Amino acid sequence: MQAQQPIAVPATGVAAQEFGLTPCEGGVCAAKGMRAAGVVAGLRGDPNRRDLALVAANKTCVCAATFTQNRFCAAPVQVSREHVCNGLARAVVLNSGNANASTGEPGIAVARQTAALVAHELGCDEQDVLVGSTGVIGVPLKLDGFRTGVPMACKALANTPQAAHDAAVAVMTTDTVPKESAYTGTIPAGGGAQTTFSVGGFVKGSGMIQPNMATMLSVLSTDAPLSASAARAALKAAVDQTFNKVTVDSDTSTNDTCILFATGCAGGPVIEEDSAAYPAVAAAILCVCEDLARMIAADGEGATKLVTVDVVGARTKADALTVARSIANSPLVKTAIFGHDANWGRVAAAAGKCGVDFCQDNVDIDLLGVPVLRSGLPLPMDEEDMLRRFEGPEVTIAISLGEGEAGERVWTCDLTHEYITINGDYRT
């Protein structure tokens, strides 16, 4: 019998290669004109744990943001939506340990007062300060920790990799590792010249992850001179392709926020969507977001595996995404992966239940790069070989529906005993 070829899926890292982008150090401080800090403000009651992050541009600059679509959106989301509507911002202050969600008018007041504290220290308008929170829902957030923590954070602001790292650590909740990424490249600067630019950022997120227009909490920055409209377009495109394709447990947070600052400190003319420099900058933002999205899935609460689900051969991208999410969110698929069980039947069942119309006789499935189903029928499988493949850090699932040319990719993780332990004890 002729050996079956694996399903063709999109390669990773194409954008970086196409535009000559290279990873670099610095996280959210990789961009010129950005500073960050992460301090212990006592908001978590742990003297050894950073719980207040501040990211600030040297001056008010272009800013774009996306937010949760959860109807129970938190107070900081409501305030930040108002503040960023003009496409400008100077800073964002973020706390961990308390989501300031479902806290009513007192919660809104705390979010506004927090922005005012930062504005006073930086000498800017309150409107130019955004806020973000993450943690337990429904618990009043007191201002006391911000009164002491904000001045400390402002004094600690620096444009260094360590400062960026401290900020990434300060927003962690059930995350086991801080999540940072940065890329650098070159763009046309006019008159035949080239200028170097950078994009960097961090994200927190480990549970309650199936975003819609954002992720848990993410702050990105670039020193490319993007216009407000170009920044919004680049951020939306990147978020749609990355953070909106992550699911840990199919739950969308009340606090999801993703912010992009564009300082313009790299120099050169303002970049619009039709500018020659725009594709490279948009690609760098995409690369950073993709790295961070994969980190979220890999660090899913209790996870032992990063799982990449590719659906190809769908009639529409919407169909492909529906099937991919159905597979990625299936408890049976996720627990089979945790148990190192190459049970392609779980994948087939998850694809077939989601309402997308396809003919099972056209379906192919690969697990861990191995063809296990062709034209709706199983292929012989070497169980020992599959067990060896499960030892790697990433599990790949590819399914071709045989109905069209559209495809989508979703990242998720396995479902383990530890996920139940973490969430069973979350408030206690």
Side-chain angles (χ1 to χ4, degrees):
M1 180 182 295
Q2 186 176 2
Q4 296 287 338
Q5 294 300 310
I7 296 169
V9 298
T12 58
V14 173
Q17 295 174 11
E18 181 180 355
F19 294 98
L21 306 172
T22 56
C24 63
E25 292 186 344
V28 76
C29 289
K32 294 185 286 291
M34 294 299 301
R35 296 177 294 161
V39 301
V40 180
L43 293 163
R44 301 181 68 95
D46 183 345
N48 299 311
R49 185 161 181 175
R50 300 180 192 274
D51 52 17
L52 179 68
L54 180 63
V55 180
N58 291 343
K59 60 182 181 180
T60 297
C61 66
V62 166
C63 183
T66 62
F67 300 98
T68 185
Q69 292 188 8
N70 193 311
R71 294 294 182 182
F72 267 93
C73 65
V77 170
Q78 297 176 55
V79 171
S80 292
R81 276 178 175 154
E82 294 176 7
H83 286 194
V84 79
C85 65
N86 65 353
L88 300 171
R90 173 76 185 277
V92 58
V93 57
L94 314 103
N95 73 276
S96 59
N98 187 315
N100 194 12
S102 295
T103 49
E105 286 302 321
I108 295 288
V110 168
R112 294 193 190 284
Q113 290 164 351
T114 302
L117 287 170
V118 174
H120 174 75
E121 293 292 328
L122 295 181
C124 67
D125 193 292
E126 179 181 334
Q127 176 79 24
D128 294 333
V129 180
L130 311 184
V131 287
S133 299
T134 182
V136 178
I137 295 169
V139 177
L141 178 60
K142 297 180 179 179
L143 196 62
D144 297 351
F146 295 101
R147 289 195 177 101
T148 56
V150 166
M152 280 194 301
C154 288
K155 290 179 182 177
L157 282 172
N159 179 255
T160 64
Q162 185 60 53
H165 182 74
D166 290 346
V169 168
V171 295
M172 292 169 58
T173 50
T174 57
D175 306 64
T176 64
V177 293
K179 303 170 180 69
E180 302 177 80
S181 177
Y183 284 79
T184 187
T186 58
I187 50 175
Q194 296 278 314
T195 187
T196 300
F197 77 99
S198 298
V199 176
F202 63 79
V203 70
K204 69 81 50 187
S206 187
M208 198 182 282
I209 299 286
Q210 179 168 295
N212 193 354
M213 294 308 297
T215 182
M216 287 289 289
L217 287 182
S218 181
V219 182
L220 312 170
S221 66
T222 181
D223 45 23
L226 292 172
S227 70
S229 61
R232 285 193 296 270
L235 181 63
K236 183 181 186 304
V239 166
D240 282 347
Q241 295 176 69
T242 59
F243 294 138
N244 279 349
K245 304 297 171 61
V246 178
T247 178
V248 169
D249 45 24
S250 79
D251 283 323
T252 300
S253 167
T254 55
N255 291 59
D256 294 349
T257 300
C258 183
I259 296 165
L260 169 67
F261 292 94
T263 67
C265 290
V270 173
I271 299 172
E272 302 288 355
E273 289 177 71
D274 59 355
S275 299
Y278 178 81
V281 178
I285 295 170
L286 175 64
C287 287
V288 170
C289 290
E290 182 172 89
D291 283 355
L292 297 176
R294 286 171 56 86
M295 290 177 198
I296 290 173
D299 193 35
E301 288 174 340
T304 66
K305 303 291 180 189
L306 167 64
V307 182
T308 301
V309 179
D310 276 297
V311 175
V312 299
R315 288 193 181 95
T316 67
K317 291 183 75 65
D319 280 356
L321 184 56
T322 297
V323 173
R325 280 187 169 157
S326 183
I327 295 167
N329 283 325
S330 167
L332 293 178
V333 172
K334 291 158 74 73
T335 50
I337 292 169
F338 174 59
H340 294 190
D341 181 10
N343 191 340
W344 60 264
R346 303 299 199 196
V347 176
K353 75 176 184 180
C354 67
V356 170
D357 185 27
F358 61 83
C359 176
Q360 64 176 312
D361 295 337
N362 297 331
V363 173
D364 298 339
I365 297 175
D366 290 357
L367 289 179
L368 294 157
V370 177
V372 294
L373 189 83
R374 285 296 181 268
S375 301
L377 297 175
L379 299 176
M381 183 168 57
D382 183 337
E383 296 284 359
E384 292 300 320
D385 175 61
M386 297 304 281
L387 282 173
R388 287 191 293 270
R389 290 172 182 264
F390 268 113
E391 294 303 318
E394 183 173 356
V395 171
T396 58
I397 299 172
I399 178 169
S400 174
L401 301 182
E403 299 289 340
E405 302 297 325
E408 286 284 8
R409 172 174 287 166
V410 167
W411 294 282
T412 187
C413 59
D414 55 348
L415 181 59
T416 72
H417 305 294
E418 187 63 18
Y419 179 87
I420 298 170
T421 300
I422 290 169
N423 284 283
D425 295 339
Y426 186 69
R427 292 200 309 139
T428 56

